[in-house]
Amino acid sequence: MKIRSIRARLKNLALRKPYAIANLVCSDVENVFLEVELDNGIIGIGAANPAPEVVGETPALCLKNCQSAFFERFVGRDISDFRLIINEIRLQYPHAPGTLAAFDIALHDAYAQWQGIPVVALYGQKIKSLPTSVTIGIMDVAETLSEAEAFFQQGFRILKVKTGMDVEEDIERMLKLHERFGHQITLRADANQGYDTLALRRFLSATKNLKLELIEQPLPVGAEKELLDLPPAVRKTLVADESLKSADSARILARQPQPFGIFNIKLMKCGGIAGAMEIAGIAGNASIDLFWGCNDESIVSITAALHAAFACTHTRYLDLDGSFDLAEDVVSGGFRLENGCLSLAGETGLGVYRLL
């Protein structure tokens, strides 16, 4: 089945409410949407929201790439060559993971629809359902507790708390959350590179009795070796996020001694499902658990990440709440959310339906 046309556009999606992370306040997000239409009318849809501070690619640049003449060569190609096409795009845009992710997701969706199977079936589904965390931005204690209460009432039992601006305030927020909810909830922390070694040790010491499930990227990129001074048991709970962008960085971080015991795979960092599965293979061989994360993204790319996550036996953690923050989207469907747990819709392709 031949590719008839390729279309890309950018849409600014408002957030339900602004939130803060270390050194940044977000109120809306730009997402690039890409459609690959086949001769029989099947439309595969992809989406991308790369974080320029992490990967150096903006949504505007992603759109420019997706609309470039380079992609005209794929009109008329057979969709059964989708993996070859993904490799060709990777070679052309080695430092544009958002561009690659948009096409990778759309091609996976179109091919799986053509085959009449879900995307996850291309790799073999290993997991049916897992709970996801939801994110609390950097805010004062009262606001933190209020937001946590709202999430708790909605059925979520895993909270990821953004930290990294003031370690003493971070500690107070964690202690107050534990005081309020005890073991009814699981706590995760995400410092977004906001700590130095001294602050990290202070945070670890003050929260050691809270049994935090994990801590994402506590130190800046480039400071990974400083983590090796921490006990192995602590390092097993640390998550590589900004330090992990590609299979190349995964191979480095997988070497012994390992600074991180968990890899955060984001399709917007590694260029889509194919790149994610490559990193997942490296992690599996190194006995590193998988944590699947996201930016503020459309249901399209969140669902794509969930298909990839459920194809890996060593997926342990989900943080795929990016579409929950959106006040609008261009699709519906994709996944089911029940009592804080995510599962796939079980339909062909990604199982998403266009709204706009």
Side-chain angles (χ1 to χ4, degrees), residues 68-137:
S68 71
F70 171 78
F71 293 102
E72 294 176 6
R73 70 177 65 188
F74 301 122
V75 175
R77 287 281 292 273
D78 199 295
I79 190 60
S80 62
D81 291 336
F82 81 100
R83 288 187 173 89
L84 294 176
I85 295 173
I86 290 170
N87 285 334
E88 291 174 38
I89 299 171
R90 181 183 288 113
L91 291 173
Q92 179 69 18
Y93 293 98
H95 305 297
T99 301
L100 180 57
F103 274 94
D104 170 287
I105 295 167
L107 290 166
H108 273 87
D109 185 28
Y111 178 76
Q113 286 187 65
W114 178 55
Q115 290 293 303
I117 59 175
V119 168
V120 69
L122 298 173
Y123 299 95
Q125 185 163 1
K126 313 299 191 307
I127 298 170
K128 294 295 185 182
S129 177
L130 278 177
T132 184
S133 55
V134 282
T135 304
I136 296 179

Side-chain angles (χ1 to χ4, degrees), residues 252-323:
I252 293 171
L253 294 174
R255 296 171 186 164
Q256 294 289 352
Q258 296 168 348
F260 302 99
I262 306 166
F263 279 0
N264 179 330
I265 299 180
K266 292 179 180 174
L267 302 194
M268 297 305 114
K269 293 188 300 181
C270 64
I273 295 171
M277 298 306 290
E278 186 176 4
I279 293 174
I282 294 167
N285 290 333
S287 298
I288 292 173
D289 291 336
L290 298 182
F291 175 112
W292 295 79
C294 60
N295 301 330
D296 284 313
E297 302 172 29
S298 166
I299 287 171
V300 174
S301 48
I302 296 295
T303 302
L306 194 60
H307 278 264
F310 284 178
C312 300
T313 56
H314 51 305
T315 290
R316 298 287 180 270
Y317 316 99
L318 297 182
D319 182 43
L320 295 177
D321 63 338
S323 63

Side-chain angles (χ1 to χ4, degrees), residues 33-74:
F33 294 93
L34 183 122
E35 294 181 342
V36 173
E37 184 172 359
L38 307 184
D39 279 342
N40 65 354
I42 284 175
I43 296 176
I45 185 167
N49 174 24
E53 69 276 10
V54 178
V55 299
E57 180 186 15
T58 64
L61 178 57
C62 175
L63 178 67
K64 181 179 179 181
N65 292 340
C66 290
Q67 294 179 331
S68 71
F70 171 78
F71 293 102
E72 294 176 6
R73 70 177 65 188
F74 301 122

Side-chain angles (χ1 to χ4, degrees), residues 161-289:
V161 182
K162 291 288 187 178
T163 63
M165 290 186 67
D166 184 314
V167 68
E168 296 303 326
E169 289 184 1
D170 296 341
I171 292 167
E172 182 182 9
R173 293 166 69 218
M174 287 296 191
L175 293 175
K176 291 297 184 181
L177 283 168
H178 181 72
E179 179 182 307
R180 165 62 184 84
F181 295 99
H183 298 299
Q184 294 182 91
I185 62 169
T186 298
L187 290 174
R188 300 171 178 173
D190 182 4
N192 284 112
Q193 309 181 73
Y195 293 148
D196 57 20
T197 304
L198 185 63
L200 174 58
R201 288 184 178 276
R202 168 66 182 136
F203 182 81
L204 289 169
S205 175
T207 61
K208 64 182 179 181
N209 293 327
L210 305 187
K211 300 187 184 302
L212 300 185
E213 187 173 41
L214 54 81
I215 302 173
E216 276 192 79
Q217 195 71 39
L219 304 186
V221 173
E224 293 83 5
K225 289 185 178 180
E226 295 178 32
L227 297 173
L228 298 178
D229 292 331
L230 297 172
V234 172
R235 285 187 274 125
K236 286 294 289 183
T237 68
L238 302 183
V239 183
D241 184 2
E242 289 88 350
S243 292
L244 177 71
K245 298 184 180 71
S246 64
D248 288 340
S249 57
R251 292 186 187 96
I252 293 171
L253 294 174
R255 296 171 186 164
Q256 294 289 352
Q258 296 168 348
F260 302 99
I262 306 166
F263 279 0
N264 179 330
I265 299 180
K266 292 179 180 174
L267 302 194
M268 297 305 114
K269 293 188 300 181
C270 64
I273 295 171
M277 298 306 290
E278 186 176 4
I279 293 174
I282 294 167
N285 290 333
S287 298
I288 292 173
D289 291 336

